[in-house]
Amino acid sequence: MARCPSCGHESDLDTYICDNCEYKLKEERIEAIPIFTRPNIRLYKPDNRFKRIYKVINPIKTPIAFRDINKKKDGGGPRFITWFNGFLIGLCALAVSWHLDIQLYQGVELTPMSISFSPFAITWGYKWVAFLNSFIIFLCFFIFGIIYYVIIFKLYNFAFGLAANFSVQLDGLLAIRYNVKLKKSKFNDMISGKSRLEKKTGIEGETSFQTSQKKDFMTKLSQTGKNKIMTYAYAPLIIINFISFLLIAIALPTTTLANTSGVTFSSISNTMSDIWSSKLWMILDGLQLLGIIWVACTMSVAQREIGNTSTTRLLIGNMIMALIIGFTTIMLRPTFGANNWNIIESFTS
């Protein structure tokens, strides 16, 4: 037990913030970096989901954002992050289609159609049929993007959660603090570390976070809001995907398709070879790698707030996991083959 010098409250486990008055009990060296600073303030009015997302993206306000999210966890913010990233995937696919200059559509010339917005004039080389095709491309990839990020965020939550369990036994901390009755199994106990923590501290679920009656307990860790606060950590991907969209729209080379009549998938791929071989894709993959490292930082702050535990240990575990994810999902792509980072390509060549 640690007694708070501000209010005299006894805090359970190896806590860094007083459970009662939120006074900072411990400080780590890494907190000198703004994104990892542990705020010594007490928040009263929760922000809306959009302001929370903005603060998560802003490195100076990231700690305050997760302190606020931890006080009142909501599902609206995580849903918006998922849907908006899917929307940006749709825009990226649409931007790629802009660089395919179609001269004849089913043998019919696409006469320019001008739309004037005084004092500007925008000229489009597409009729409404081509516009409809572009909209279908956007819609398909928008839906694909939503499904993709729903799946990828669940996988990332599992991966970063596993890293946190090895670093600080986060699931065990939450199970004790929130009085979660986990299913008894050797695997669950090995992953959560709950039994090890109980033996170390001599506490068996009897904490200040426990509900007033012993019969009122949770049966799943998800009921603590763990997944909601962790999903907020993916907000930086909005910036990464938006920058990717701008780069695709501006820097991708344009290729010409003479006629869509009789076009096959193979012929389109050959026509767009200049687009697919562009060095821009390496830059975009580098941005995605930067995004994963950024997410590892915000994820460490998110897990720290819900677990009231060490930032440094969480960051080390999450950075290792981010490098594993980045290497297996990004560096093994063909775009990095020229730099001999693709072990599979180097080994088989």
Side-chain angles (χ1 to χ4, degrees), residues 151-169:
I151 295 173
I152 209 70
F153 285 169
K154 287 184 180 296
L155 292 176
Y156 280 4
N157 279 350
F158 173 79
F160 285 117
L162 196 63
N165 285 331
F166 278 104
S167 300
V168 296
Q169 291 86 47

mmCIF file with all atom_site columns, all heavy atoms in Angstrom, residues 151-169:
data_model
loop_
_atom_site.group_PDB
_atom_site.id
_atom_site.type_symbol
_atom_site.label_atom_id
_atom_site.label_alt_id
_atom_site.label_comp_id
_atom_site.label_asym_id
_atom_site.label_entity_id
_atom_site.label_seq_id
_atom_site.pdbx_PDB_ins_code
_atom_site.Cartn_x
_atom_site.Cartn_y
_atom_site.Cartn_z
_atom_site.occupancy
_atom_site.B_iso_or_equiv
_atom_site.pdbx_formal_charge
_atom_site.auth_seq_id
_atom_site.auth_comp_id
_atom_site.auth_asym_id
_atom_site.auth_atom_id
_atom_site.pdbx_PDB_model_num
ATOM 1   N N   . ILE A 1 151 ? -11.047 -5.401  -38.745 1.00 0.00 ? 151 ILE A N   1
ATOM 2   C CA  . ILE A 1 151 ? -10.238 -6.607  -38.507 1.00 0.00 ? 151 ILE A CA  1
ATOM 3   C C   . ILE A 1 151 ? -8.854  -6.239  -37.989 1.00 0.00 ? 151 ILE A C   1
ATOM 4   O O   . ILE A 1 151 ? -8.375  -6.808  -37.006 1.00 0.00 ? 151 ILE A O   1
ATOM 5   C CB  . ILE A 1 151 ? -10.127 -7.440  -39.800 1.00 0.00 ? 151 ILE A CB  1
ATOM 6   C CG1 . ILE A 1 151 ? -11.503 -7.967  -40.218 1.00 0.00 ? 151 ILE A CG1 1
ATOM 7   C CG2 . ILE A 1 151 ? -9.160  -8.609  -39.602 1.00 0.00 ? 151 ILE A CG2 1
ATOM 8   C CD1 . ILE A 1 151 ? -11.515 -8.653  -41.564 1.00 0.00 ? 151 ILE A CD1 1
ATOM 9   N N   . ILE A 1 152 ? -8.196  -5.260  -38.635 1.00 0.00 ? 152 ILE A N   1
ATOM 10  C CA  . ILE A 1 152 ? -6.821  -4.928  -38.284 1.00 0.00 ? 152 ILE A CA  1
ATOM 11  C C   . ILE A 1 152 ? -6.741  -4.319  -36.894 1.00 0.00 ? 152 ILE A C   1
ATOM 12  O O   . ILE A 1 152 ? -5.781  -4.561  -36.143 1.00 0.00 ? 152 ILE A O   1
ATOM 13  C CB  . ILE A 1 152 ? -6.199  -3.990  -39.347 1.00 0.00 ? 152 ILE A CB  1
ATOM 14  C CG1 . ILE A 1 152 ? -4.673  -4.210  -39.414 1.00 0.00 ? 152 ILE A CG1 1
ATOM 15  C CG2 . ILE A 1 152 ? -6.480  -2.542  -39.054 1.00 0.00 ? 152 ILE A CG2 1
ATOM 16  C CD1 . ILE A 1 152 ? -4.254  -5.511  -39.989 1.00 0.00 ? 152 ILE A CD1 1
ATOM 17  N N   . PHE A 1 153 ? -7.737  -3.533  -36.488 1.00 0.00 ? 153 PHE A N   1
ATOM 18  C CA  . PHE A 1 153 ? -7.719  -2.952  -35.144 1.00 0.00 ? 153 PHE A CA  1
ATOM 19  C C   . PHE A 1 153 ? -7.898  -4.026  -34.076 1.00 0.00 ? 153 PHE A C   1
ATOM 20  O O   . PHE A 1 153 ? -7.303  -3.938  -33.003 1.00 0.00 ? 153 PHE A O   1
ATOM 21  C CB  . PHE A 1 153 ? -8.810  -1.886  -35.003 1.00 0.00 ? 153 PHE A CB  1
ATOM 22  C CG  . PHE A 1 153 ? -8.488  -0.590  -35.710 1.00 0.00 ? 153 PHE A CG  1
ATOM 23  C CD1 . PHE A 1 153 ? -9.455  0.392   -35.882 1.00 0.00 ? 153 PHE A CD1 1
ATOM 24  C CD2 . PHE A 1 153 ? -7.214  -0.347  -36.216 1.00 0.00 ? 153 PHE A CD2 1
ATOM 25  C CE1 . PHE A 1 153 ? -9.163  1.585   -36.528 1.00 0.00 ? 153 PHE A CE1 1
ATOM 26  C CE2 . PHE A 1 153 ? -6.908  0.837   -36.871 1.00 0.00 ? 153 PHE A CE2 1
ATOM 27  C CZ  . PHE A 1 153 ? -7.886  1.801   -37.032 1.00 0.00 ? 153 PHE A CZ  1
ATOM 28  N N   . LYS A 1 154 ? -8.703  -5.041  -34.362 1.00 0.00 ? 154 LYS A N   1
ATOM 29  C CA  . LYS A 1 154 ? -8.844  -6.144  -33.412 1.00 0.00 ? 154 LYS A CA  1
ATOM 30  C C   . LYS A 1 154 ? -7.530  -6.917  -33.293 1.00 0.00 ? 154 LYS A C   1
ATOM 31  O O   . LYS A 1 154 ? -7.118  -7.295  -32.184 1.00 0.00 ? 154 LYS A O   1
ATOM 32  C CB  . LYS A 1 154 ? -9.976  -7.079  -33.863 1.00 0.00 ? 154 LYS A CB  1
ATOM 33  C CG  . LYS A 1 154 ? -11.376 -6.500  -33.677 1.00 0.00 ? 154 LYS A CG  1
ATOM 34  C CD  . LYS A 1 154 ? -12.445 -7.494  -34.050 1.00 0.00 ? 154 LYS A CD  1
ATOM 35  C CE  . LYS A 1 154 ? -13.841 -6.917  -33.869 1.00 0.00 ? 154 LYS A CE  1
ATOM 36  N NZ  . LYS A 1 154 ? -14.128 -6.591  -32.455 1.00 0.00 ? 154 LYS A NZ  1
ATOM 37  N N   . LEU A 1 155 ? -6.877  -7.151  -34.429 1.00 0.00 ? 155 LEU A N   1
ATOM 38  C CA  . LEU A 1 155 ? -5.592  -7.852  -34.393 1.00 0.00 ? 155 LEU A CA  1
ATOM 39  C C   . LEU A 1 155 ? -4.526  -7.024  -33.676 1.00 0.00 ? 155 LEU A C   1
ATOM 40  O O   . LEU A 1 155 ? -3.737  -7.546  -32.889 1.00 0.00 ? 155 LEU A O   1
ATOM 41  C CB  . LEU A 1 155 ? -5.144  -8.175  -35.822 1.00 0.00 ? 155 LEU A CB  1
ATOM 42  C CG  . LEU A 1 155 ? -5.989  -9.205  -36.582 1.00 0.00 ? 155 LEU A CG  1
ATOM 43  C CD1 . LEU A 1 155 ? -5.495  -9.346  -38.014 1.00 0.00 ? 155 LEU A CD1 1
ATOM 44  C CD2 . LEU A 1 155 ? -5.948  -10.559 -35.878 1.00 0.00 ? 155 LEU A CD2 1
ATOM 45  N N   . TYR A 1 156 ? -4.506  -5.718  -33.951 1.00 0.00 ? 156 TYR A N   1
ATOM 46  C CA  . TYR A 1 156 ? -3.556  -4.839  -33.282 1.00 0.00 ? 156 TYR A CA  1
ATOM 47  C C   . TYR A 1 156 ? -3.819  -4.772  -31.775 1.00 0.00 ? 156 TYR A C   1
ATOM 48  O O   . TYR A 1 156 ? -2.885  -4.752  -30.972 1.00 0.00 ? 156 TYR A O   1
ATOM 49  C CB  . TYR A 1 156 ? -3.640  -3.427  -33.870 1.00 0.00 ? 156 TYR A CB  1
ATOM 50  C CG  . TYR A 1 156 ? -2.909  -3.246  -35.182 1.00 0.00 ? 156 TYR A CG  1
ATOM 51  C CD1 . TYR A 1 156 ? -2.288  -4.320  -35.826 1.00 0.00 ? 156 TYR A CD1 1
ATOM 52  C CD2 . TYR A 1 156 ? -2.841  -2.009  -35.809 1.00 0.00 ? 156 TYR A CD2 1
ATOM 53  C CE1 . TYR A 1 156 ? -1.635  -4.159  -37.029 1.00 0.00 ? 156 TYR A CE1 1
ATOM 54  C CE2 . TYR A 1 156 ? -2.184  -1.834  -37.012 1.00 0.00 ? 156 TYR A CE2 1
ATOM 55  C CZ  . TYR A 1 156 ? -1.581  -2.913  -37.618 1.00 0.00 ? 156 TYR A CZ  1
ATOM 56  O OH  . TYR A 1 156 ? -0.929  -2.734  -38.807 1.00 0.00 ? 156 TYR A OH  1
ATOM 57  N N   . ASN A 1 157 ? -5.103  -4.733  -31.401 1.00 0.00 ? 157 ASN A N   1
ATOM 58  C CA  . ASN A 1 157 ? -5.436  -4.728  -29.968 1.00 0.00 ? 157 ASN A CA  1
ATOM 59  C C   . ASN A 1 157 ? -4.916  -5.977  -29.284 1.00 0.00 ? 157 ASN A C   1
ATOM 60  O O   . ASN A 1 157 ? -4.403  -5.927  -28.162 1.00 0.00 ? 157 ASN A O   1
ATOM 61  C CB  . ASN A 1 157 ? -6.947  -4.612  -29.772 1.00 0.00 ? 157 ASN A CB  1
ATOM 62  C CG  . ASN A 1 157 ? -7.443  -3.178  -29.885 1.00 0.00 ? 157 ASN A CG  1
ATOM 63  O OD1 . ASN A 1 157 ? -6.652  -2.232  -29.924 1.00 0.00 ? 157 ASN A OD1 1
ATOM 64  N ND2 . ASN A 1 157 ? -8.747  -3.010  -29.941 1.00 0.00 ? 157 ASN A ND2 1
ATOM 65  N N   . PHE A 1 158 ? -5.070  -7.101  -29.976 1.00 0.00 ? 158 PHE A N   1
ATOM 66  C CA  . PHE A 1 158 ? -4.562  -8.350  -29.403 1.00 0.00 ? 158 PHE A CA  1
ATOM 67  C C   . PHE A 1 158 ? -3.043  -8.318  -29.297 1.00 0.00 ? 158 PHE A C   1
ATOM 68  O O   . PHE A 1 158 ? -2.475  -8.704  -28.267 1.00 0.00 ? 158 PHE A O   1
ATOM 69  C CB  . PHE A 1 158 ? -4.998  -9.538  -30.265 1.00 0.00 ? 158 PHE A CB  1
ATOM 70  C CG  . PHE A 1 158 ? -4.392  -10.855 -29.841 1.00 0.00 ? 158 PHE A CG  1
ATOM 71  C CD1 . PHE A 1 158 ? -4.909  -11.543 -28.756 1.00 0.00 ? 158 PHE A CD1 1
ATOM 72  C CD2 . PHE A 1 158 ? -3.303  -11.388 -30.514 1.00 0.00 ? 158 PHE A CD2 1
ATOM 73  C CE1 . PHE A 1 158 ? -4.345  -12.752 -28.346 1.00 0.00 ? 158 PHE A CE1 1
ATOM 74  C CE2 . PHE A 1 158 ? -2.739  -12.587 -30.122 1.00 0.00 ? 158 PHE A CE2 1
ATOM 75  C CZ  . PHE A 1 158 ? -3.255  -13.269 -29.020 1.00 0.00 ? 158 PHE A CZ  1
ATOM 76  N N   . ALA A 1 159 ? -2.371  -7.835  -30.355 1.00 0.00 ? 159 ALA A N   1
ATOM 77  C CA  . ALA A 1 159 ? -0.907  -7.816  -30.371 1.00 0.00 ? 159 ALA A CA  1
ATOM 78  C C   . ALA A 1 159 ? -0.346  -6.872  -29.310 1.00 0.00 ? 159 ALA A C   1
ATOM 79  O O   . ALA A 1 159 ? 0.542   -7.244  -28.523 1.00 0.00 ? 159 ALA A O   1
ATOM 80  C CB  . ALA A 1 159 ? -0.409  -7.410  -31.759 1.00 0.00 ? 159 ALA A CB  1
ATOM 81  N N   . PHE A 1 160 ? -0.870  -5.640  -29.259 1.00 0.00 ? 160 PHE A N   1
ATOM 82  C CA  . PHE A 1 160 ? -0.381  -4.675  -28.274 1.00 0.00 ? 160 PHE A CA  1
ATOM 83  C C   . PHE A 1 160 ? -0.813  -5.060  -26.859 1.00 0.00 ? 160 PHE A C   1
ATOM 84  O O   . PHE A 1 160 ? -0.121  -4.763  -25.885 1.00 0.00 ? 160 PHE A O   1
ATOM 85  C CB  . PHE A 1 160 ? -0.874  -3.274  -28.618 1.00 0.00 ? 160 PHE A CB  1
ATOM 86  C CG  . PHE A 1 160 ? -0.152  -2.642  -29.779 1.00 0.00 ? 160 PHE A CG  1
ATOM 87  C CD1 . PHE A 1 160 ? -0.824  -2.321  -30.941 1.00 0.00 ? 160 PHE A CD1 1
ATOM 88  C CD2 . PHE A 1 160 ? 1.208   -2.390  -29.707 1.00 0.00 ? 160 PHE A CD2 1
ATOM 89  C CE1 . PHE A 1 160 ? -0.163  -1.747  -32.014 1.00 0.00 ? 160 PHE A CE1 1
ATOM 90  C CE2 . PHE A 1 160 ? 1.891   -1.822  -30.779 1.00 0.00 ? 160 PHE A CE2 1
ATOM 91  C CZ  . PHE A 1 160 ? 1.203   -1.496  -31.928 1.00 0.00 ? 160 PHE A CZ  1
ATOM 92  N N   . GLY A 1 161 ? -1.978  -5.722  -26.754 1.00 0.00 ? 161 GLY A N   1
ATOM 93  C CA  . GLY A 1 161 ? -2.392  -6.220  -25.444 1.00 0.00 ? 161 GLY A CA  1
ATOM 94  C C   . GLY A 1 161 ? -1.461  -7.312  -24.949 1.00 0.00 ? 161 GLY A C   1
ATOM 95  O O   . GLY A 1 161 ? -1.142  -7.395  -23.763 1.00 0.00 ? 161 GLY A O   1
ATOM 96  N N   . LEU A 1 162 ? -1.017  -8.162  -25.880 1.00 0.00 ? 162 LEU A N   1
ATOM 97  C CA  . LEU A 1 162 ? -0.062  -9.215  -25.525 1.00 0.00 ? 162 LEU A CA  1
ATOM 98  C C   . LEU A 1 162 ? 1.265   -8.596  -25.064 1.00 0.00 ? 162 LEU A C   1
ATOM 99  O O   . LEU A 1 162 ? 1.854   -9.047  -24.080 1.00 0.00 ? 162 LEU A O   1
ATOM 100 C CB  . LEU A 1 162 ? 0.172   -10.116 -26.735 1.00 0.00 ? 162 LEU A CB  1
ATOM 101 C CG  . LEU A 1 162 ? 0.833   -11.479 -26.494 1.00 0.00 ? 162 LEU A CG  1
ATOM 102 C CD1 . LEU A 1 162 ? -0.031  -12.353 -25.609 1.00 0.00 ? 162 LEU A CD1 1
ATOM 103 C CD2 . LEU A 1 162 ? 1.103   -12.174 -27.823 1.00 0.00 ? 162 LEU A CD2 1
ATOM 104 N N   . ALA A 1 163 ? 1.708   -7.556  -25.760 1.00 0.00 ? 163 ALA A N   1
ATOM 105 C CA  . ALA A 1 163 ? 2.944   -6.869  -25.373 1.00 0.00 ? 163 ALA A CA  1
ATOM 106 C C   . ALA A 1 163 ? 2.809   -6.256  -23.982 1.00 0.00 ? 163 ALA A C   1
ATOM 107 O O   . ALA A 1 163 ? 3.746   -6.312  -23.171 1.00 0.00 ? 163 ALA A O   1
ATOM 108 C CB  . ALA A 1 163 ? 3.287   -5.793  -26.397 1.00 0.00 ? 163 ALA A CB  1
ATOM 109 N N   . ALA A 1 164 ? 1.635   -5.669  -23.703 1.00 0.00 ? 164 ALA A N   1
ATOM 110 C CA  . ALA A 1 164 ? 1.405   -5.061  -22.391 1.00 0.00 ? 164 ALA A CA  1
ATOM 111 C C   . ALA A 1 164 ? 1.367   -6.104  -21.286 1.00 0.00 ? 164 ALA A C   1
ATOM 112 O O   . ALA A 1 164 ? 1.805   -5.850  -20.159 1.00 0.00 ? 164 ALA A O   1
ATOM 113 C CB  . ALA A 1 164 ? 0.100   -4.265  -22.407 1.00 0.00 ? 164 ALA A CB  1
ATOM 114 N N   . ASN A 1 165 ? 0.856   -7.286  -21.596 1.00 0.00 ? 165 ASN A N   1
ATOM 115 C CA  . ASN A 1 165 ? 0.814   -8.346  -20.587 1.00 0.00 ? 165 ASN A CA  1
ATOM 116 C C   . ASN A 1 165 ? 2.217   -8.842  -20.249 1.00 0.00 ? 165 ASN A C   1
ATOM 117 O O   . ASN A 1 165 ? 2.515   -9.151  -19.090 1.00 0.00 ? 165 ASN A O   1
ATOM 118 C CB  . ASN A 1 165 ? -0.051  -9.505  -21.078 1.00 0.00 ? 165 ASN A CB  1
ATOM 119 C CG  . ASN A 1 165 ? -1.530  -9.179  -21.011 1.00 0.00 ? 165 ASN A CG  1
ATOM 120 O OD1 . ASN A 1 165 ? -1.952  -8.397  -20.169 1.00 0.00 ? 165 ASN A OD1 1
ATOM 121 N ND2 . ASN A 1 165 ? -2.314  -9.751  -21.901 1.00 0.00 ? 165 ASN A ND2 1
ATOM 122 N N   . PHE A 1 166 ? 3.079   -8.926  -21.252 1.00 0.00 ? 166 PHE A N   1
ATOM 123 C CA  . PHE A 1 166 ? 4.455   -9.331  -20.983 1.00 0.00 ? 166 PHE A CA  1
ATOM 124 C C   . PHE A 1 166 ? 5.229   -8.230  -20.247 1.00 0.00 ? 166 PHE A C   1
ATOM 125 O O   . PHE A 1 166 ? 6.138   -8.520  -19.476 1.00 0.00 ? 166 PHE A O   1
ATOM 126 C CB  . PHE A 1 166 ? 5.170   -9.697  -22.286 1.00 0.00 ? 166 PHE A CB  1
ATOM 127 C CG  . PHE A 1 166 ? 4.882   -11.085 -22.768 1.00 0.00 ? 166 PHE A CG  1
ATOM 128 C CD1 . PHE A 1 166 ? 4.019   -11.314 -23.825 1.00 0.00 ? 166 PHE A CD1 1
ATOM 129 C CD2 . PHE A 1 166 ? 5.459   -12.183 -22.152 1.00 0.00 ? 166 PHE A CD2 1
ATOM 130 C CE1 . PHE A 1 166 ? 3.737   -12.599 -24.261 1.00 0.00 ? 166 PHE A CE1 1
ATOM 131 C CE2 . PHE A 1 166 ? 5.190   -13.482 -22.571 1.00 0.00 ? 166 PHE A CE2 1
ATOM 132 C CZ  . PHE A 1 166 ? 4.322   -13.687 -23.642 1.00 0.00 ? 166 PHE A CZ  1
ATOM 133 N N   . SER A 1 167 ? 4.848   -6.975  -20.496 1.00 0.00 ? 167 SER A N   1
ATOM 134 C CA  . SER A 1 167 ? 5.568   -5.858  -19.879 1.00 0.00 ? 167 SER A CA  1
ATOM 135 C C   . SER A 1 167 ? 5.127   -5.592  -18.450 1.00 0.00 ? 167 SER A C   1
ATOM 136 O O   . SER A 1 167 ? 5.973   -5.450  -17.549 1.00 0.00 ? 167 SER A O   1
ATOM 137 C CB  . SER A 1 167 ? 5.367   -4.584  -20.718 1.00 0.00 ? 167 SER A CB  1
ATOM 138 O OG  . SER A 1 167 ? 5.841   -4.746  -22.029 1.00 0.00 ? 167 SER A OG  1
ATOM 139 N N   . VAL A 1 168 ? 3.802   -5.501  -18.228 1.00 0.00 ? 168 VAL A N   1
ATOM 140 C CA  . VAL A 1 168 ? 3.304   -5.107  -16.895 1.00 0.00 ? 168 VAL A CA  1
ATOM 141 C C   . VAL A 1 168 ? 2.146   -5.974  -16.413 1.00 0.00 ? 168 VAL A C   1
ATOM 142 O O   . VAL A 1 168 ? 1.511   -5.651  -15.418 1.00 0.00 ? 168 VAL A O   1
ATOM 143 C CB  . VAL A 1 168 ? 2.852   -3.631  -16.907 1.00 0.00 ? 168 VAL A CB  1
ATOM 144 C CG1 . VAL A 1 168 ? 4.021   -2.708  -17.166 1.00 0.00 ? 168 VAL A CG1 1
ATOM 145 C CG2 . VAL A 1 168 ? 1.737   -3.402  -17.918 1.00 0.00 ? 168 VAL A CG2 1
ATOM 146 N N   . GLN A 1 169 ? 1.855   -7.095  -17.107 1.00 0.00 ? 169 GLN A N   1
ATOM 147 C CA  . GLN A 1 169 ? 0.691   -7.920  -16.775 1.00 0.00 ? 169 GLN A CA  1
ATOM 148 C C   . GLN A 1 169 ? -0.582  -7.070  -16.715 1.00 0.00 ? 169 GLN A C   1
ATOM 149 O O   . GLN A 1 169 ? -1.316  -7.049  -15.725 1.00 0.00 ? 169 GLN A O   1
ATOM 150 C CB  . GLN A 1 169 ? 0.877   -8.659  -15.439 1.00 0.00 ? 169 GLN A CB  1
ATOM 151 C CG  . GLN A 1 169 ? 1.908   -9.752  -15.440 1.00 0.00 ? 169 GLN A CG  1
ATOM 152 C CD  . GLN A 1 169 ? 3.309   -9.221  -15.145 1.00 0.00 ? 169 GLN A CD  1
ATOM 153 O OE1 . GLN A 1 169 ? 3.498   -8.443  -14.214 1.00 0.00 ? 169 GLN A OE1 1
ATOM 154 N NE2 . GLN A 1 169 ? 4.284   -9.640  -15.913 1.00 0.00 ? 169 GLN A NE2 1
#
